[in-house]
Amino acid sequence: MKFILIIILAASALFSAAQSNTTVKRKIDDKTVVVDSSGMQYIYAVWVKLFQTGDYGLKAVNPADETSPMLLYKLTEEEKQKRDEKAPMPKESKFFTTGAEFGSFKLKNMKGKKFDSKSLKDKVVIFNFWFINCPPCKTEIPHLNKVVEEFKDKDVVFIAVALDQYNELQDFLEKTPFNYEIIDDGRSFAAYYGITSYPTHVVIDKQGKIAYHTSGLSTGTIPWLKKTITSLLETKN
């Protein structure tokens, strides 16, 4: 049950359940009745999976009745854009300070490719600290892959520091592709910054300073990640 509740909270955080469309406060959980426009009812495992894609929204069939079913509907691109634009900036993590130097580092991904602060100068660097058995970490992976695709061929490098060992990651990534540069066995690197909450995101500007950082998964995590990257790419040195 604890795992189910974590997934529900992660989904609700990433894609708000259209509470602004209701006139009564609604609780969204695994007992919520969810239907589509034809009236067909969805079981929890199905509707929450669709909801987590970011392509669907939820709103009350009868906004004045807190017991009425929730309607699962497909979002238009315009609706997705408006949702992201309205997303509040997430709370900053307690592990970093905006404007501070991130510091030097040397890392190697699972394929043996090396990354260091010196060679990545003049590039925007995105760090994601995560681990396999972290539900919100797994929930956001498909959305992070879309961010990577959006900024491909730009001066942006995406690095995911996993706490897990190489073999564990190999098995996981075969079923769940993650298009960041994957760093295995990253516990010591995460510990260096005192990170204890996951996922934790950090965006480093072209001068090596921290421009954005947050822990956990909230409504604004992904939208503000994209906003920060776009802003840094548009800013001249």
Side-chain angles (χ1 to χ4, degrees):
M1 174 59 81
K2 183 178 180 181
F3 177 78
I4 290 175
L5 290 176
I6 290 173
I7 289 295
I8 294 171
L9 289 172
S12 298
L14 187 54
F15 307 112
S16 58
Q19 292 302 299
S20 60
N21 293 333
T22 68
T23 56
V24 293
K25 188 175 181 179
R26 300 299 303 269
K27 179 182 179 181
I28 308 298
D29 58 23
D30 57 330
K31 294 181 176 58
T32 300
V33 177
V34 176
V35 300
D36 64 16
S37 57
S38 70
M40 184 180 76
Q41 184 172 333
Y42 288 79
I43 62 172
Y44 164 77
V46 173
W47 74 255
V48 78
K49 188 173 183 179
L50 290 171
F51 192 56
Q52 288 175 343
T53 65
D55 294 328
Y56 291 83
L58 286 173
K59 61 184 178 182
V61 172
N62 182 355
D65 181 3
E66 64 179 0
T67 65
S68 76
M70 298 297 289
L71 176 68
L72 182 74
Y73 64 100
K74 189 75 176 287
L75 293 170
T76 65
E77 290 303 318
E78 183 179 358
E79 287 174 325
K80 292 179 191 177
Q81 185 176 348
K82 287 182 178 179
R83 175 197 64 200
D84 290 349
E85 288 175 351
K86 293 179 179 179
M89 185 175 183
K91 183 179 179 180
E92 292 187 337
S93 78
K94 60 183 180 181
F95 315 115
F96 299 93
T97 301
T98 300
E101 297 282 346
F102 183 76
S104 60
F105 59 87
K106 290 184 179 181
L107 299 167
K108 184 170 64 174
N109 73 5
M110 292 178 65
K111 297 180 180 179
K113 184 177 179 180
K114 296 180 180 180
F115 300 88
D116 62 76
S117 49
K118 186 176 180 180
S119 65
L120 294 178
K121 186 180 180 181
D122 297 328
K123 292 185 182 294
V124 175
V125 182
I126 318 302
F127 278 100
N128 172 241
F129 293 85
W130 70 294
F131 62 96
I132 290 173
N133 290 323
C134 163
C137 297
K138 291 189 287 188
T139 296
E140 70 176 4
I141 287 176
H143 312 290
L144 295 179
N145 287 341
K146 291 179 181 179
V147 176
V148 174
E149 179 65 22
E150 183 174 341
F151 292 99
K152 69 178 182 179
D153 302 323
K154 304 290 185 181
D155 288 331
V156 186
V157 177
F158 296 89
I159 300 175
V161 179
L163 306 188
D164 312 276
Q165 299 296 314
Y166 181 91
N167 291 337
E168 297 172 307
L169 286 165
Q170 265 196 323
D171 293 339
F172 174 80
L173 295 171
E174 284 181 3
K175 299 177 181 178
T176 309
F178 192 0
N179 297 333
Y180 274 46
E181 302 288 351
I182 309 296
I183 310 298
D184 60 294
D185 193 19
R187 286 185 180 275
S188 60
F189 189 60
Y192 176 80
Y193 292 101
I195 297 173
T196 55
S197 297
Y198 300 88
T200 286
H201 298 270
V202 189
V203 179
I204 316 300
D205 69 17
K206 294 182 179 182
Q207 287 73 48
K209 294 183 179 180
I210 298 167
Y212 169 85
H213 58 102
T214 187
S215 293
L217 185 58
S218 73
T219 308
T221 300
I222 305 300
W224 278 88
L225 179 65
K226 295 196 295 184
K227 287 179 183 180
T228 305
I229 296 171
T230 298
S231 175
L232 293 178
L233 290 175
E234 292 175 348
T235 302
K236 295 182 179 179
N237 292 340

